[in-house]
Amino acid sequence: MRNTNNAYNLYVQKMRKIADVRHSISVLNWDKEVNLPKKGSSARSRQIATLSGIAHEMFVNKEFGDLIDTLHRGNHLDERQRKNIELTHKDYQKATKYSTNFVVRLSEVTSETYHAWLKARQENDFDIFKEPLTHLVDIKKEEAALLGYEHHPYDALMDIFEPGANTADTDILFKDVREQLVDFVRRIREKTQVDDGFMRKFYAKDKQWKLGLEMLKSMGYDFEAGRQDISEHPFTTNFSASDVRVTTRIDEYDFGNMICSCIHEGGHALYEQGLPEDQYGLPLGNFLSLGIHESQSRLWENNIGRSLPYWKANYRRIQTAFPDNLGDVNTVDFYKAMNRVNPNLIRTDSDELHYHFHILIRYEIEKGLIEGSLQTNDLRDIWNDKYKKYLGVKVPDDKRGILQDIHWSHGSFGYFPTYSMGSFYAAQFFKQAEKDIPNLIQKIEQGNTADLLTWLRENIHQYGRFYTADELCKRITGEKLNFRYFMEYAGQKYSEIYDL
């Protein structure tokens, strides 16, 4: 027993050293997005690459692997210790499948593809991106084979971002999107559009900034364990549960942009601040998956932040800050403007319903590329045809079409589906929270979201990676992820807004 305890303590020490290096990388990445001077990008890339290599070498070290194996074969650990070792053993087995040669080649191809994407974006020409993207798709196929899969090569890539996810289950989710959500949105388009013109008047940056801070604080975000800054693309990063930082984006002629960014990133941050600090550096101190992480941001942004009860509690404060723009706008009209449904070209600017069409298109394309049924040479036409089919919009150029996302240039195939999964999980979790928390909606109308945060802490945040996403969903709601909950949420909400 004593030897086992000593071995586990040594494992914890090594894991926390690795975490220290990885979080140092996160600090450099945060600084790159928030503070980095223009001429510092080259040196910063080298610094991040150096530390990434060090962290990888520390983790795949054979001596460390032997320690993990020893603990994995033992039987004197408590439940949480066993789970940490089980998950680390799995992570180690996966990491050691990557040879140094493969890691170098993947890094080189990704770098080439990223710079080609930048140039293609600048010149608004997908042809510049075609060949490098082909090379990247080829090496991602190689990576899928290297990692191994049972049914479909895309499963191996999805598992990187959403452990346990597979195309069979994801196909069912997006089949529901095609068969249910597409027709529902088509009905909305036939109705009189809600007015959101007042959202695009001039809203001073400093006033928006102050309101954003107030919204984060009211959600329960701990400013003694985090901070907010401005960045081009809003994001959340953490260096520990006691240092979780968010950024927002402020457009003085698009008021909803800041509101949604703050609440969305606040949801991510609350998850990170709720992870158990005593498990720092260990699997149980890390978030479960990107889909579950996205469920937290989407639950706060959509189920709360775009709800009428939330604005009954919070609208007066915003109206008072901008009396010239909102003095004659009532709470219900503001709420409707926050939920305007209208197709557009850009995923990140989409409403919460059309958003899933954007993800569906990317999922179909990625799956086709990895399985070999689609070729990069045809992607522009495929993309444009799908946008016409699902959103009814004509793509005018490559920059607002096939080149709009950075994900493929980073090699992040398998990432996009987690965005939709997050919204679907959010609807299912929120439905259960309504059952478990007495008078939840009335509490939200009174400005009280503390009980909801406590529920999320107790049911999701505290467990880290202890459960799989499927296990966690079943534990909370009694069943695995089911699109029905999102469709019921959307159906009730938008039928009232658009008088369907």
Side-chain angles (χ1 to χ4, degrees):
M1 175 71 76
R2 184 177 298 171
N3 288 338
T4 301
N5 284 340
N6 289 340
Y8 187 80
N9 289 337
L10 180 59
Y11 153 79
V12 171
Q13 291 173 18
K14 289 183 177 293
M15 286 290 285
R16 286 180 171 165
K17 285 184 180 180
I18 295 167
D20 289 342
V21 176
R22 288 174 172 167
H23 286 308
S24 296
I25 297 169
S26 297
V27 174
L28 292 178
N29 275 317
W30 169 83
D31 180 72
K32 180 180 70 174
E33 297 293 335
V34 175
N35 296 315
L36 189 70
K38 187 174 183 179
K39 292 183 178 179
S41 58
S42 178
R44 179 58 49 85
S45 296
R46 184 180 66 250
Q47 293 157 359
I48 290 172
T50 297
L51 289 177
S52 298
I54 291 172
H56 179 72
E57 289 170 1
M58 290 172 69
F59 187 69
V60 300
N61 178 274
K62 186 179 184 304
E63 180 182 341
F64 185 48
D66 291 341
L67 174 63
I68 297 169
D69 281 338
T70 298
L71 288 165
H72 193 248
R73 291 193 301 268
N75 57 4
H76 297 295
L77 301 175
D78 65 32
E79 186 180 34
R80 293 208 299 174
Q81 290 173 338
R82 282 199 307 273
K83 181 59 72 170
N84 274 327
I85 294 300
E86 174 190 323
L87 292 168
T88 304
H89 186 265
K90 182 179 179 181
D91 293 343
Y92 183 85
Q93 296 300 316
K94 180 181 287 188
T96 53
K97 289 181 178 181
Y98 291 86
S99 67
T100 301
N101 176 266
F102 181 83
V103 171
V104 170
R105 286 195 298 118
L106 179 59
S107 177
E108 291 173 346
V109 172
T110 302
S111 178
E112 174 192 352
T113 308
Y114 172 68
H115 289 294
W117 175 77
L118 288 177
K119 184 177 181 182
R121 285 264 302 173
Q122 290 169 356
E123 299 189 21
N124 200 6
D125 185 359
F126 176 67
D127 289 340
I128 296 170
F129 190 48
K130 277 184 186 177
E131 186 175 350
L133 180 59
T134 300
H135 295 159
L136 185 57
V137 169
D138 287 342
I139 202 167
K140 297 304 287 187
K141 290 180 183 177
E142 188 178 341
E143 182 179 13
L146 180 151
L147 291 171
Y149 54 89
E150 188 174 351
H151 298 295
H152 195 287
Y154 191 67
D155 293 349
L157 302 182
M158 287 183 69
D159 189 72
I160 296 171
F161 305 104
E162 189 69 16
N166 58 68
T167 52
D169 290 338
T170 309
D171 283 347
I172 292 172
L173 287 176
F174 283 115
K175 180 175 181 287
D176 289 336
V177 171
R178 283 191 297 269
E179 293 182 352
Q180 299 179 49
L181 194 58
V182 171
D183 285 341
F184 180 68
V185 171
R186 189 174 293 120
R187 289 171 57 202
I188 291 176
R189 290 182 198 160
E190 294 171 354
K191 305 296 285 188
T192 302
Q193 185 56 273
V194 301
D195 177 24
D196 70 342
F198 52 83
M199 300 291 283
R200 304 187 187 282
K201 294 181 179 180
F202 177 78
Y203 290 83
K205 182 178 180 179
D206 57 342
K207 287 187 178 181
Q208 287 198 57
W209 171 260
K210 182 180 178 182
L211 286 170
L213 296 177
E214 291 175 0
M215 285 190 295
L216 285 169
K217 187 175 182 180
S218 70
M219 291 169 63
Y221 177 75
D222 183 359
F223 276 97
E224 292 187 358
R227 56 178 287 137
Q228 179 175 259
D229 293 275
I230 297 286
S231 68
E232 182 65 26
H233 301 285
F235 68 93
T236 301
T237 189
N238 79 302
F239 316 132
S240 71
S242 56
D243 189 354
V244 182
R245 307 183 186 188
V246 298
T247 69
T248 192
R249 174 174 54 199
I250 295 178
D251 183 336
E252 293 189 315
Y253 291 93
D254 184 0
F255 189 33
N257 203 315
M258 180 279 297
I259 294 173
C260 292
S261 294
C262 283
I263 299 176
H264 181 96
E265 299 307 329
H268 279 306
L270 290 175
Y271 185 13
E272 296 284 358
Q273 288 185 340
L275 293 171
E277 288 194 71
D278 65 338
Q279 297 292 309
Y280 170 79
L282 309 178
L284 299 193
N286 288 330
F287 68 88
L288 172 52
S289 71
L290 288 180
I292 296 299
H293 221 313
E294 191 69 11
S295 78
Q296 301 306 282
S297 60
R298 293 291 175 180
L299 185 149
W300 283 98
E301 178 190 356
N302 295 334
N303 300 88
I304 303 297
R306 293 183 191 267
S307 74
L308 183 56
Y310 178 84
W311 288 112
K312 284 181 178 180
N314 291 281
Y315 179 58
R316 181 59 182 167
R317 178 172 52 192
I318 287 178
Q319 189 181 43
T320 301
F322 296 102
D324 292 341
N325 293 348
L326 301 174
D328 296 330
V329 178
N330 63 43
T331 305
V332 172
D333 287 341
F334 185 85
Y335 156 71
K336 289 182 177 181
M338 286 292 297
N339 290 282
R340 187 175 191 266
V341 176
N342 196 46
N344 70 346
L345 294 164
I346 307 301
R347 173 184 62 86
T348 54
D349 294 337
S350 178
D351 60 75
E352 67 170 317
L353 300 187
H354 281 101
Y355 187 84
H356 301 294
F357 303 168
H358 291 269
I359 302 302
L360 168 61
I361 290 168
R362 288 152 177 79
Y363 172 68
E364 290 181 346
I365 290 175
E366 287 191 354
K367 183 182 172 187
L369 286 172
I370 299 302
E371 71 186 12
S373 62
L374 299 181
Q375 305 301 318
T376 53
N377 282 341
D378 305 320
L379 286 194
R380 178 195 283 120
D381 291 340
I382 292 170
W383 178 285
N384 294 350
D385 288 345
K386 287 181 180 294
Y387 264 78
K388 184 66 176 176
K389 174 183 177 181
Y390 289 125
L391 287 98
V393 297
K394 182 178 180 180
V395 179
D397 53 42
D398 293 343
K399 190 172 182 179
R400 285 174 285 181
I402 189 74
L403 294 174
Q404 68 178 264
D405 294 305
I406 197 172
H407 297 60
W408 291 346
S409 72
H410 281 169
S412 297
F413 291 87
Y415 192 123
F416 278 119
T418 67
Y419 288 132
S420 282
M421 289 178 188
S423 288
F424 305 156
Y425 275 125
Q428 195 162 335
F429 292 156
F430 189 74
K431 185 69 174 180
Q432 188 63 43
E434 286 187 87
K435 296 178 182 177
D436 294 344
I437 304 172
N439 304 313
L440 175 59
I441 300 304
Q442 291 90 332
K443 289 177 179 178
I444 294 171
E445 285 186 2
Q446 296 164 4
N448 174 15
T449 57
D451 289 352
L452 176 63
L453 178 56
T454 298
W455 186 89
L456 294 170
R457 293 270 197 257
E458 293 175 349
N459 288 279
I460 299 173
H461 303 174
Q462 68 162 316
Y463 293 113
R465 290 174 59 192
F466 191 92
Y467 300 104
T468 66
D470 257 3
E471 289 170 345
L472 184 69
C473 191
K474 290 175 184 176
R475 178 184 174 85
I476 296 171
T477 70
E479 60 181 302
K480 71 177 191 177
L481 181 60
N482 189 334
F483 179 75
R484 172 173 65 88
Y485 291 96
F486 179 83
M487 200 61 232
E488 288 177 354
Y489 152 75
Q492 179 180 348
K493 176 179 178 178
Y494 288 95
S495 292
E496 292 176 357
I497 292 173
Y498 281 91
D499 192 26
L500 296 182

